[in-house]
Amino acid sequence: MGLAGAIALRDSASLLPRGFWAAVSVWLEKPQVVNKRLSGSRIEAERRVPAPAVAGHRARPGRGAGAGTGTEEGRGIAGDWGQGREEERQVTAGDGAIPHPTMLEALWSDFSGMIAQEDSEMPAFIKELEKENQPETDALGLDVVLRTLFPKSHPHHFSVQWSKEMVIKDTFNGTVTFLPLEENDEGKYQIKKCNIYQIRLTHTKDDEWSVSILTSSPENWVADGIVYPKRTWLGNELLSKLAKWSTEEKQSEFKSTLSLISVAKYSRVYQELKKKYKEMVKVWPEVTDPEKFVYEDVAIATYLLILWEEERAEKGLSKKQSFVDLGCGNGLLVHILSNEGYPGRGIDIRRRKIWDMYGPQTHLEECAIRPDDSYLFPNVDWLIGNHSDELTPWIPVIAARSSYSCCYFVLPCCFFDFHGKYNRRQSQKTQYREYLDFVTEVGLKCGFSVEEDCLRIPSTKRVCLIGKSRTYPPLQEDRIDKQRTQYINNRQSCTGVTSDKTVGSNQCDSHHVVNCVVDQAVELECAANETKTDGDRVWWSGFQPREKVEQVRNCAALPRDFVDVVVLTVASLLLNATQEKPWEHTLDVHLNTWNKGESLSLREVAEHLDKETLKRLKNEYGGLQTLLRNNHQVFEVLNGRVHIRDWREEKPSKRTKPEVKRRFSAEAFKTRLCWFFSHHPDGCSLTSESCPYAHGTEELRQPQIMKKKKHP
């Protein structure tokens, strides 16, 4: 037995042991949060069992009067885990797989036999399970869980098979023991005698606790780099996370990731689609980050494919669902769904370069829509709003009025009301949570049963809202539509609508300056919109779709001399430069006396800028922060504070850059003057050979125009 690590905890807020069991639940049910080489886990079965009888000890039929843990109530460290639990619980797998109560019984029988015979290969801490006497008020026994772990596929690892574990939770003594399982030649699972580990919570005194991890002896630990990392990883990475979670008071305001679909199916389908569409990263013609956008759309497509597959099984459907992506942007999501056999199309107000690469089987339309009767899709099963910006709150309305069977999926990003930017009303919530609640409310008012889930995508805005069933029968459609109309009118009267044609260009989450638009069902919809009949009902006169030609308002179009003045002013503040200290190259940068300056909050920096400058920056998205981040060579903005960038501390990226980025870096070398060489009082912190910028005009190279590769 070996101690992998231990961390002392101080529980001043009385969160333990409850917080410990909450942390254990995360590791048990969502191990991918810590181990990034896993895509998830599934609880197959769970039940309460009596403690195993150790040789020389009789199995206890009841409890003693006291507990040896030092807690005042004599409840050990069970916390809230065992309260209200059934004596036996069978868990149904999310993907329809049959649970394994019989397997769990057989495994427990084998394990009890090993304990009774004092198997010398089992770690010493196994024999300590339920060693203390426990009060009669506590339920007898241990909680035993059978779980399956799903590894991600990896190019350097050929084996990506699912792994199974038996987990024993001794809630009274505060231990959780993980026993790996292996399949024998007969197809039967048995307990492995290596890679066994235990997470343990110990109450020291008063508000002092400790959490530790014990493992098999080093010679009995075989690290595979995926399901079982090195013992040092358990003692460092996993243990630190468990300690942090155990004493965290803040509860998540969002649902668990992938709570509405099978994690096992998601893991399998995602790896298949990722392998199938990874080549898109190499040929991405847009200026956006290809890895982020490609793998994000692959993840969203995976979620929808599983959601729709389960819907077909639930409703007994054989035909694949049709869809329309409103505000499809680059159209990759439409391309993937279409390739996977789902009939649909995407509509966006602005055509993208990449559209020409998809081929005729991917239907994309350049068209803007407005929320009125001419933009309904009665023959479409699902409407999609993936970062659909100003259309987001309208999508539940459009789906509800298209047909009784029309469903919707929205992934909100930027905050829009029916008429323009969303105005906050509840300061006790985060802006994101408040906006999600608003879009949920819209769906409920439209008559949908709205479900929420959290996607596994590389974005801070990853909560989706789904409306796939109604709360009313079809015969009540007219009554519910009057309710929708009243709700929309009430929001119009209470918000005070103003027409602002620039509102639709709002930036978001460093993500899209793209989406806004609509969808499919009838082939001639967009053309018909150009010639509306007098009978078309307009739902909201104040709605303004964004301009087709997008305005550049990210500080990139500001005059160079204006930007230079702001940069010099802010740098002076951070460096505490004074008139008595002229900016000259007077110090040797190799003496490690290079002035890094101080950090200031964005508010403090703004207070030193004149009103005219601030007014000009206010018209740009992100204002001062965007301008400073655009000047990446000089500044670093972290957590709302501005720093002078010290290039000596820059670490090379561990991830391999796409070919386009590598070529750009090489061809941009020495094509711009080094700001620090020209303006910093100590000059540049790097030598001329290592600095990517030119130290003087004699080092300047002519910028080379990158030739784009032609793709067939």
Side-chain angles (χ1 to χ4, degrees), residues 43 158 172 232 281 323 334 355 369 401 434 467 469 536 547 561 568 591 602 609 652 689:
I43 305 300
F158 298 101
F172 185 82
T232 52
V281 173
F323 71 91
V334 178
W355 286 15
I369 63 166
R401 287 177 169 169
E434 182 184 345
S469 63
D536 289 339
E547 301 291 344
D561 57 348
L568 284 170
L591 296 178
L602 286 164
L609 300 179
E689 292 75 17

Side-chain angles (χ1 to χ4, degrees), residues 191-261:
I191 296 171
K192 294 174 68 174
K193 296 178 182 179
C194 64
N195 291 10
I196 298 173
Y197 66 98
Q198 184 182 87
I199 303 170
R200 175 178 294 185
L201 178 68
T202 305
H203 186 197
T204 309
K205 63 177 182 178
D206 300 328
D207 63 348
E208 296 178 9
W209 301 70
S210 72
V211 59
S212 57
I213 294 183
L214 306 175
T215 71
S216 305
S217 57
E219 58 270 19
N220 280 337
W221 189 269
V222 182
D224 62 8
I226 304 178
V227 177
Y228 297 101
K230 295 180 180 179
R231 294 171 68 249
T232 52
W233 183 91
L234 292 176
N236 296 327
E237 300 296 326
L238 176 58
L239 187 61
S240 62
K241 286 289 186 183
L242 292 170
K244 178 176 179 288
W245 294 337
S246 296
T247 53
E248 271 187 342
E249 291 189 70
K250 186 176 180 181
Q251 298 293 322
S252 174
E253 57 184 355
F254 305 112
K255 286 286 187 74
S256 299
T257 305
L258 307 181
S259 62
L260 299 181
I261 64 172

Side-chain angles (χ1 to χ4, degrees), residues 291-432:
E291 290 193 357
K292 172 180 172 55
F293 280 80
V294 171
Y295 295 133
E296 178 166 321
D297 283 350
V298 166
I300 296 171
T302 302
Y303 188 92
L304 288 171
L305 292 179
I306 297 171
L307 182 71
W308 293 345
E309 179 186 341
E310 294 179 352
E311 182 192 34
R312 292 197 302 276
E314 179 185 334
K315 297 180 178 179
L317 305 174
S318 57
K319 187 179 178 181
K320 290 187 175 181
Q321 293 89 334
S322 60
F323 71 91
V324 177
D325 189 349
L326 309 179
C328 62
N330 58 54
L332 181 56
L333 179 60
V334 178
H335 178 64
I336 296 173
L337 295 176
S338 299
N339 272 3
E340 299 306 311
Y342 290 82
R345 66 177 174 177
I347 305 173
D348 201 286
I349 197 169
R350 182 163 51 86
R351 185 179 186 84
R352 306 300 198 277
K353 299 175 186 176
I354 197 172
W355 286 15
D356 296 326
M357 296 175 56
Y358 294 136
Q361 77 281 3
T362 301
H363 301 287
L364 300 169
E365 299 178 17
E366 187 177 16
C367 172
I369 63 166
R370 294 176 180 272
D372 59 42
D373 285 354
S374 59
Y375 295 95
L376 296 178
F377 313 103
N379 300 321
V380 173
D381 297 317
W382 281 80
L383 299 185
I384 300 172
N386 173 20
H387 298 280
S388 47
D389 295 353
E390 59 265 36
L391 270 182
T392 296
W394 286 108
I395 289 178
V397 184
I398 297 172
R401 287 177 169 169
S402 290
S403 71
Y404 183 80
S405 61
C406 187
C407 309
Y408 72 87
F409 168 96
V410 292
L411 183 60
C413 183
C414 298
F415 308 137
F416 285 89
D417 207 323
F418 288 117
H419 69 283
K421 290 182 180 178
Y422 178 81
N423 295 318
R424 296 198 63 182
R425 295 172 177 80
Q426 303 177 51
S427 59
Q428 69 273 22
K429 297 181 181 180
T430 64
Q431 185 180 18
Y432 185 40

Side-chain angles (χ1 to χ4, degrees), residues 90 168 177 214 318 340 428 433 436 503 543 550 646:
Q90 179 174 304
I168 305 172
T177 307
L214 306 175
S318 57
E340 299 306 311
Q428 69 273 22
R433 180 69 263 174
L436 290 172
V503 71
F543 178 81
E550 188 174 4
D646 187 349

Side-chain angles (χ1 to χ4, degrees), residues 487-692:
Y487 175 73
I488 294 171
N489 291 340
N490 288 343
R491 292 218 43 108
Q492 184 172 14
S493 61
C494 72
T495 55
V497 177
T498 58
S499 178
D500 180 6
K501 292 190 177 183
T502 64
V503 71
S505 300
N506 187 39
Q507 267 192 331
C508 58
D509 181 12
S510 76
H511 199 84
H512 310 312
V513 203
V514 290
N515 316 329
C516 149
V517 268
V518 287
D519 190 353
Q520 155 189 72
V522 181
E523 201 65 44
L524 301 176
E525 278 162 359
C526 284
N529 291 332
E530 302 298 328
T531 56
K532 296 180 184 178
T533 65
D534 294 337
D536 289 339
R537 177 176 52 142
V538 177
W539 303 343
W540 185 291
S541 59
F543 178 81
Q544 290 287 343
R546 67 180 56 183
E547 301 291 344
K548 184 174 181 179
V549 179
E550 188 174 4
Q551 297 183 23
V552 179
R553 297 174 63 188
N554 60 355
C555 297
L558 290 174
R560 188 67 247 177
D561 57 348
F562 171 80
V563 173
D564 289 344
V565 169
V566 175
V567 170
L568 284 170
T569 303
V570 175
S572 297
L573 291 171
L574 299 177
L575 294 169
N576 292 320
T578 62
Q579 293 181 353
E580 287 74 25
K581 184 180 179 182
W583 288 20
E584 298 172 354
H585 304 219
T586 56
L587 297 179
D588 185 354
V589 299
H590 300 291
L591 296 178
N592 202 28
T593 57
W594 193 79
N595 182 13
K596 295 168 58 174
E598 299 179 358
S599 73
L600 295 174
S601 68
L602 286 164
R603 178 186 293 274
E604 290 172 323
V605 172
E607 288 173 352
H608 287 82
L609 300 179
D610 61 77
K611 292 182 179 179
E612 195 61 37
T613 298
L614 292 174
K615 183 178 179 181
R616 199 166 185 178
L617 289 174
K618 192 174 181 180
N619 291 327
E620 304 291 321
Y621 297 127
L624 175 62
Q625 181 172 227
T626 297
L627 185 144
L628 297 178
R629 283 181 168 167
N630 287 353
N631 286 271
H632 169 268
Q633 181 193 168
V634 185
F635 302 110
E636 188 175 26
V637 183
L638 295 173
N639 301 320
R641 298 193 68 83
V642 187
H643 309 255
I644 291 288
R645 185 176 295 277
D646 187 349
W647 285 91
R648 296 172 299 179
E649 299 175 358
E650 293 295 309
K651 297 179 180 179
S653 175
K654 295 180 180 180
R655 300 176 63 185
T656 304
K657 294 182 179 179
E659 181 185 356
V660 173
K661 290 187 176 181
R662 290 198 302 269
R663 285 194 293 126
F664 178 80
S665 299
E667 293 172 11
F669 188 74
K670 298 290 186 182
T671 58
R672 293 175 57 190
L673 286 171
C674 175
W675 185 93
F676 294 103
F677 180 83
S678 304
H679 300 290
H680 193 282
D682 301 336
C684 181
S685 61
L686 302 177
T687 63
S688 174
E689 292 75 17
S690 58
C691 182

Side-chain angles (χ1 to χ4, degrees), residues 62-261:
R63 303 296 185 194
T69 58
T71 55
E72 293 181 1
E73 292 96 349
R75 282 187 44 78
I77 28 190
D80 296 334
W81 183 273
Q83 298 184 40
R85 298 178 67 83
E86 301 174 0
E87 286 299 308
E88 180 177 310
R89 184 164 79 95
Q90 179 174 304
V91 182
T92 302
D95 60 353
I98 300 174
H100 305 282
T102 305
M103 180 193 297
L104 189 56
E105 289 172 358
L107 288 167
W108 180 252
S109 177
D110 292 345
F111 175 74
S112 299
M114 293 179 185
I115 298 302
Q117 297 170 17
E118 290 193 321
D119 192 318
S120 59
E121 295 184 59
M122 300 297 284
F125 57 74
I126 293 291
K127 303 171 187 178
E128 299 177 4
L129 292 171
E130 279 213 336
K131 67 177 181 179
E132 299 287 350
N133 291 328
Q134 301 174 27
E136 294 180 359
T137 54
D138 280 323
L140 177 66
L142 308 167
D143 288 310
V144 183
V145 175
L146 177 65
R147 76 165 178 170
T148 301
L149 296 164
F150 308 118
K152 292 180 180 177
S153 64
H154 195 279
H156 301 300
H157 299 279
F158 298 101
S159 175
V160 290
Q161 296 179 346
W162 297 353
S163 300
K164 291 187 182 297
E165 288 181 334
M166 185 171 72
V167 184
I168 305 172
K169 294 177 285 191
D170 183 351
T171 55
F172 185 82
N173 291 305
T175 65
V176 190
T177 307
F178 296 78
L179 298 104
L181 307 176
E182 62 182 348
E183 193 174 4
N184 59 23
D185 295 336
E186 300 174 357
K188 211 179 148 189
Y189 279 92
Q190 57 190 26
I191 296 171
K192 294 174 68 174
K193 296 178 182 179
C194 64
N195 291 10
I196 298 173
Y197 66 98
Q198 184 182 87
I199 303 170
R200 175 178 294 185
L201 178 68
T202 305
H203 186 197
T204 309
K205 63 177 182 178
D206 300 328
D207 63 348
E208 296 178 9
W209 301 70
S210 72
V211 59
S212 57
I213 294 183
L214 306 175
T215 71
S216 305
S217 57
E219 58 270 19
N220 280 337
W221 189 269
V222 182
D224 62 8
I226 304 178
V227 177
Y228 297 101
K230 295 180 180 179
R231 294 171 68 249
T232 52
W233 183 91
L234 292 176
N236 296 327
E237 300 296 326
L238 176 58
L239 187 61
S240 62
K241 286 289 186 183
L242 292 170
K244 178 176 179 288
W245 294 337
S246 296
T247 53
E248 271 187 342
E249 291 189 70
K250 186 176 180 181
Q251 298 293 322
S252 174
E253 57 184 355
F254 305 112
K255 286 286 187 74
S256 299
T257 305
L258 307 181
S259 62
L260 299 181
I261 64 172

